[in-house]
């Protein structure tokens, strides 16, 4: 992959951190936007041009760096987390995301920037049933999906105006942090149950965070403008399978607890509960047809690696 000047919005987030690492390892020059001065200092220590700011500031200094980018990776998220995820908070997320997209796209020079990787989420496709679906499937948004939908459905209009947008749709991105640590690894370590939804087995499409980041970077050179790509590994699995593999990797006797929807909703909020309620078996054929290959093509290979990394990064978590 030829060296590029890449602008990453959301570089200090869970996936963004790994995209940044992959970009630097590949020899790219990186401009990174972060809201945190502390994160900015850490990024600069890695040789990154870190810009403190927010996409919601439509006059921010980030605009100058953005205009000089060969490729843009849009991972930035509105700050709506940190408490119980209610529908009101998710609705606020929806509104702010549209504002962020509008500011970002208005600042891009399509004569200079060759690709914009817009990172969405497979919850937009929602309930796909028992068949393996590709990117042409009719969306039935569930969980976060209804709150992502307005932004995703605005993308064709931006593409029609000449913006070189490639949409990436990661599945359940697991790794040594974020939701996987909070809802799976930490409860297992503490001997607490991993909660799920009672009823039929529901399959989901996971992906290791390193593969997710590599795929996003790969699309900056190989994604077809105007196309969508599912970023998921080779094998959809029952949702509870991720916790089972993690328990084995931790060397603990894990136990799940399946709750009726109404109780799960009270425990984790309606958006997260809804995210566990649909079937999502997705194909990565289109992504692989671009020449991308996975380091962890299944969660049986990837989760032990993620658990080992989590224990190494957090020695206090080690159970042995």
């Amino acid at each position: 992959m030829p060296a590029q000047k890449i602008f990453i919005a959301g570089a200090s987030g869970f996936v963004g951190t790994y995209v940044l690492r992959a970009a630097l390892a590949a020899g790219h020059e990186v401009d990174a936007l972060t809201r945190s001065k502390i994160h900015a200092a850490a990024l600069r220590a890695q040789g990154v041009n870190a810009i403190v700011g927010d996409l919601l500031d439509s006059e921010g200094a980030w605009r100058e760096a953005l205009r000089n980018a060969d490729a843009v990776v849009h991972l930035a998220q509105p700050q709506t987390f940190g408490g119980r995820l209610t529908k009101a908070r998710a609705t606020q997320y929806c509104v702010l995301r549209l504002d962020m997209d509008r500011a970002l796209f208005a600042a891009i020079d399509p004569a200079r920037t060759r690709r914009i990787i817009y990172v969405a989420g497979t919850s937009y496709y929602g309930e796909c049933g028992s068949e393996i679906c590709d990117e042409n499937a009719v969306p039935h948004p569930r969980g976060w999906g209804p709150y992502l939908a307005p932004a995703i459905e605005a993308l064709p209009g931006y593409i029609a105006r000449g913006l070189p947008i490639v949409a990436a749709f990661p599945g359940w991105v697991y790794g040594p942090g974020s939701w996987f640590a909070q809802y799976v690894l930490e409860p297992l370590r503490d001997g607490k149950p991993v909660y799920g939804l009672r009823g039929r087995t529901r399959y989901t499409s996971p992906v290791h965070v390193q593969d997710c980041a590599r795929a996003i970077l790969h699309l900056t050179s190989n994604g077809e403008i105007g196309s969508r790509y599912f970023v998921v590994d080779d094998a959809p699995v029952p949702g509870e399978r991720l916790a089972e593999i993690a328990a084995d990797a931790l060397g603990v006797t894990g136990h799940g607890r399946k709750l009726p929807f109404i109780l799960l909703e009270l425990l984790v909020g309606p958006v997260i509960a809804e995210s566990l309620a649909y079937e999502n078996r997705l194909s990565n054929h289109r992504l692989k047809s671009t020449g991308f290959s996975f380091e962890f093509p299944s969660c049986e290979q990837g989760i032990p690696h993620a658990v080992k990394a989590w224990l190494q990064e957090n020695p206090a978590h080690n159970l042995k």
Side-chain angles (χ1 to χ4, degrees):
M1 182 186 298
Q4 303 182 82
K5 186 176 180 63
I6 301 177
F7 182 97
I8 303 176
S12 54
F14 178 50
V15 176
T17 297
Y18 285 85
V19 174
L20 177 67
R21 291 177 189 173
L24 292 175
H28 299 297
E29 181 181 350
V30 177
D31 292 323
L33 178 64
T34 178
R35 299 183 185 99
S36 166
K37 292 182 180 180
I38 294 174
H39 287 150
L43 292 172
R44 291 179 186 124
Q46 299 177 61
V48 174
N49 176 30
I51 305 157
V52 178
D54 194 312
L55 288 183
L56 291 172
D57 176 8
S58 60
E59 302 299 324
W62 55 268
R63 293 166 60 90
E64 182 176 351
L66 183 64
R67 280 192 289 268
N68 294 317
D70 298 314
V72 174
V73 176
H74 181 16
L75 279 154
Q77 302 287 317
Q79 289 183 301
T80 56
F81 300 98
R84 188 171 182 274
L85 190 50
T86 62
K87 288 184 178 180
R89 291 171 69 83
T91 299
Q92 180 189 26
Y93 170 97
C94 178
V95 172
L96 293 178
R97 184 171 181 125
L98 285 167
D99 290 343
M100 292 172 75
D101 291 355
R102 196 175 296 114
L104 179 78
F105 291 147
I108 289 173
D109 179 2
R112 168 62 193 265
T113 299
R114 295 193 293 267
R115 283 182 182 83
I116 305 161
I117 309 304
Y118 186 93
V119 183
T122 54
S123 59
Y124 172 67
Y125 281 85
E127 180 62 58
C128 294
S130 60
E131 300 297 321
I132 301 290
C133 295
D134 65 16
E135 293 85 349
N136 295 321
V138 176
H140 300 284
R142 300 284 295 274
W144 269 113
Y147 307 99
L148 292 172
I152 293 168
E153 290 164 3
L155 295 180
Y158 289 111
I159 294 168
R161 285 158 47 186
L163 289 174
I165 296 172
V166 178
F169 288 78
W172 282 19
V173 184
Y174 66 85
S178 192
W179 70 272
F180 191 62
Q182 180 180 353
Y183 292 114
V184 178
L185 299 182
E186 292 173 7
L188 289 172
R189 174 203 63 192
D190 297 339
K192 297 178 180 178
V194 176
Y195 291 101
L197 183 61
R198 186 176 295 173
R200 64 182 174 87
T201 298
R202 295 165 178 84
Y203 277 68
T204 191
S205 297
V207 64
H208 192 292
V209 65
Q210 288 185 192
D211 277 334
C212 181
R214 291 177 52 250
I216 289 168
L217 185 63
H218 173 84
L219 290 173
T220 64
S221 293
N222 299 281
E224 180 181 352
I225 293 168
S227 288
R228 296 175 175 180
Y229 295 88
F230 288 150
V231 182
V232 297
D233 69 21
D234 289 348
V237 294
E240 58 266 27
R241 180 66 182 140
L242 281 71
E244 293 170 357
I245 300 170
D248 287 343
L250 283 167
V252 301
T253 303
H255 60 292
R257 184 180 177 190
K258 293 192 173 185
L259 302 175
F261 185 85
I262 190 169
L263 291 182
L264 190 63
E265 186 178 34
L266 289 171
L267 182 67
V268 299
V271 177
I272 300 299
E274 183 74 14
S275 297
L276 299 173
Y278 61 82
E279 191 99 10
N280 201 240
R281 309 186 199 206
L282 305 175
S283 168
N284 61 18
H285 175 75
R286 182 177 293 177
L287 175 61
K288 292 173 75 172
S289 72
T290 67
F292 182 76
S293 60
F294 288 80
E295 291 182 4
F296 306 103
S298 73
C299 59
E300 282 80 8
Q301 293 162 284
I303 288 178
H305 178 275
V307 170
K308 182 178 179 181
W310 183 68
L311 293 173
Q312 289 175 340
E313 292 173 10
N314 305 278
H317 295 331
N318 205 314
L319 299 172
K320 296 180 181 180

